[in-house]
Amino acid sequence: MSADLIKYSDEYGKEGTIDGLQTINRQVQQLHTFLNAYHRLTHLPDPVKAKIKICDLFDKLSRLLNSEPGSKNICYISPENIDILLDPNLITLALINLIRNALQATANNPEPQISVEAGKEPASLFIQVTDNGEGIPQDRLEDVFIPFYSTKKEGSGIGLPLSRRIMQLHGGELNINSEPGKKTVFRLIFPNH
């Protein structure tokens, strides 16, 4: 397009040239957004792990998300004695992505409910985010982890792949289970060591 604008500048005139430059600028901005998202996904730092009290992590999340629309509908549930070896900055980023998705998924629900819950199992520890939003069809569950796939008009499609990658760097997993129209559960599973 820029070559065309240069070659036929007389034919385009001032308005046509401005319109062409605005089109080029929009495309450059979209490319810039894409490259930044791609860079974030592929250049995550190695986790700097520490034993973290989950109740402290949940307090931090509550403060960080306090101004988000619908945040009053979030319930944090954690036994007092759960500590998990994790990178608090990376896991906070992953959880914020999951909680924001839950807030968006429940935005049209007249009685939105979101829980962020920690627990122990014999071989692992977990943190899960559950919402009563519209849900995800079974045949689309793994699609949400494909980079740049998004069902939201303004979504970048980077939050869930980034969150899964953070869990892989921790030697853990990020799983999803959804019953459309009822609930969606994202579960971060940490090795118990």
Side-chain angles (χ1 to χ4, degrees):
M1 180 176 244
S2 62
D4 208 40
L5 286 170
I6 292 167
K7 188 173 182 179
Y8 303 106
S9 60
D10 291 342
E11 293 175 32
Y12 278 101
K14 184 177 179 181
E15 283 185 34
T17 301
I18 289 171
D19 186 50
L21 290 172
Q22 288 173 336
T23 300
I24 291 169
N25 187 50
R26 281 192 300 273
Q27 292 302 309
V28 167
Q29 293 302 321
Q30 288 176 353
L31 183 59
H32 180 71
T33 300
F34 170 83
L35 290 173
N36 281 341
Y38 184 78
H39 186 267
R40 282 195 355 241
L41 182 62
T42 59
H43 290 84
L44 281 170
D46 289 332
V48 178
K49 297 179 184 177
K51 277 275 190 190
I52 303 294
K53 287 195 172 303
I54 292 301
C55 54
D56 293 341
L57 179 66
F58 285 2
D59 286 344
K60 178 182 174 183
L61 283 168
S62 179
R63 287 192 308 274
L64 288 170
L65 293 163
N66 192 37
S67 63
E68 297 275 330
S71 63
K72 66 184 181 308
N73 302 314
I74 304 170
C75 177
Y76 296 91
I77 305 162
S78 174
E80 289 291 320
N81 60 345
I82 292 187
D83 295 338
I84 299 181
L85 185 64
L86 53 75
D87 180 316
N89 295 323
L90 288 175
I91 295 302
T92 296
L93 176 61
L95 285 168
I96 285 174
N97 284 328
L98 297 175
I99 294 168
R100 281 189 174 145
N101 280 356
L103 288 167
Q104 291 168 358
T106 58
N108 296 324
N109 189 322
E111 294 180 24
Q113 296 176 349
I114 299 167
S115 68
V116 182
E117 181 178 3
K120 290 183 181 181
E121 293 180 337
S124 63
L125 301 165
F126 69 87
I127 301 173
Q128 67 184 29
V129 178
T130 306
D131 69 66
N132 66 342
E134 64 255 16
I136 302 165
Q138 292 299 309
D139 63 339
R140 293 282 187 216
L141 288 179
E142 282 304 307
D143 291 348
V144 300
F145 295 112
I146 297 171
F148 309 107
Y149 172 87
S150 180
T151 58
K152 295 177 249 166
K153 186 178 179 185
E154 299 298 320
S156 69
I158 198 72
L160 293 174
L162 187 70
S163 298
R164 181 172 262 184
R165 182 71 187 122
I166 287 169
M167 286 309 298
Q168 290 168 343
L169 290 171
H170 279 76
E173 301 174 37
L174 173 57
N175 297 329
I176 181 175
N177 189 351
S178 187
E179 297 175 52
K182 292 186 179 178
K183 70 176 181 176
T184 299
V185 181
F186 283 94
R187 181 176 270 214
L188 292 79
I189 303 169
F190 298 86
N192 191 2
H193 47 131

